[in-house]
Amino acid sequence: MKTDNTASYKKGEMITVDITDFGENGEGIGKTDAFTWFIKDTVIGDKVIAKVMKTKKSYGYARLDTIVKESPDRIEAKCPVARSCGGCTLQSLDYSAELKLKQNKVENHLKRIGGFDLSNVEIEDIIGMEDPIRYRNKSQFPFGRKNGKNITGYFAGRTHSIVEFDDCIIGIEENKNVLKAVLDFMEKYDIPAYDEESGKGVVRHVLIRKGFATGELMVCIVINANSLPHSDKLVESLCTMLGSDLKSVSININKKNTNVILGEKTVTLYGNDYIEDYIGDVKFRISPQSFYQVNPVQTKKLYSKALEYAALTGEETVWDMYCGIGTISLFLAKSAKFVYGVEIVDAAIQNARENAKLNNIENVKFFVGKAEEVITGEYENGNIRDIDVIVVDPPRKGLDKLAIDTMLKLLPKRIVYVSCDSSTLARDLKLLCEKEYELKKLTVVDQFSRSYHTESVVVMERK
């Protein structure tokens, strides 16, 4: 058993490692001399024996075999398939330690990547959850076949191999009943699950959504066919299982050989083609295709902090770049003079306009297109004058250079940046704060408990 780096490591060798850090995906990191190891399912403070799986010049990957000494922050994972599923990389870490880890991660990225001296920044305590389970309002379960039987669960990390189970502890409790109803239905009427290799079979995925404020439930069955035989019987079963909370049952047709879950056509079998939910006092209609934050409890806290940082008095013009279905825009509109939202996805803007109408919010306007092009065009055409606040909530890759250049040209008084990736946040802030802006406040929000991902919100003010 090797404990140093005196010779090359071979696949299958056993190594003893002290875990001293976490990687970007929540895996434990340790060293044997100058050689760095990434070992999944370990936590800082563990001493472990691991099996070498793959090596590079100065680092390698190993699989946990034995925990020689447990970290004081190690707890027993609540999910029985936590290791094989790999969806929740921090299941074995005490929650208070998880919150500290995420706070440090964001701050370290701002220091290391952004080059910020945080002594002049107001840093608030991370906003955690009271109970970090059962928070996901949306789950998508793949279906497949194993030993001649239909199965469901989640794909193991970086694979399309299904880890079979029926109850994800970060998902809603109703998931279990829905999956049972669908599997029983498939068995009774001899409806096979989809097989990726052959392209045959019918049921590909089941998507389940819940409105946490309303209790409304949606079930969408993704199929590799034009119709689902005996679908009326499945609807009956789901209604019996879920009662009056069930507001929508649909099939989504996806016959393409693709990793994309949803196809273009959705047919409603029962109820509405949407469910409704609230963030604060703003109501949203959510379809199977709608983007909607998966943790509504924390989303309210996140958006409330973004609203606080925007410091609106009722006289401001606000632009919400990457507005999606208008979640932040409508949240801000109640305190702003006028809010403009921009999103490149046409269907999302249609949802945003519907949601504004649903809430009788009239001081908003939504545009389809690239945010930087729309804002620049409206500004240069004289349709808008002063821009007081810009709010951005970009995808994980962050802002592109054109978006940053546009903000630096328009020079709003404040920029509120909501981020799901603190490394790209730090990169973008470095450019924005190079000359024109000053980073003033930061709050981290635990939006994805038991995983390494997190959300943060910052505000910059013009110098």
Side-chain angles (χ1 to χ4, degrees), residues 275-303:
I275 59 172
E276 294 183 338
D277 197 19
Y278 287 86
I279 298 177
D281 59 355
V282 181
K283 182 189 288 188
F284 296 94
R285 282 187 176 171
I286 308 158
S287 69
Q289 292 90 347
S290 293
F291 171 79
Y292 189 69
Q293 289 275 10
V294 298
N295 187 338
V297 174
Q298 294 298 91
T299 296
K300 181 183 177 183
K301 299 172 185 176
L302 177 70
Y303 289 177

Side-chain angles (χ1 to χ4, degrees), residues 398-409:
L399 301 170
D400 62 27
K401 186 176 184 301
L402 186 55
I404 291 174
D405 289 344
T406 300
M407 286 189 279
L408 292 175
K409 181 171 69 175

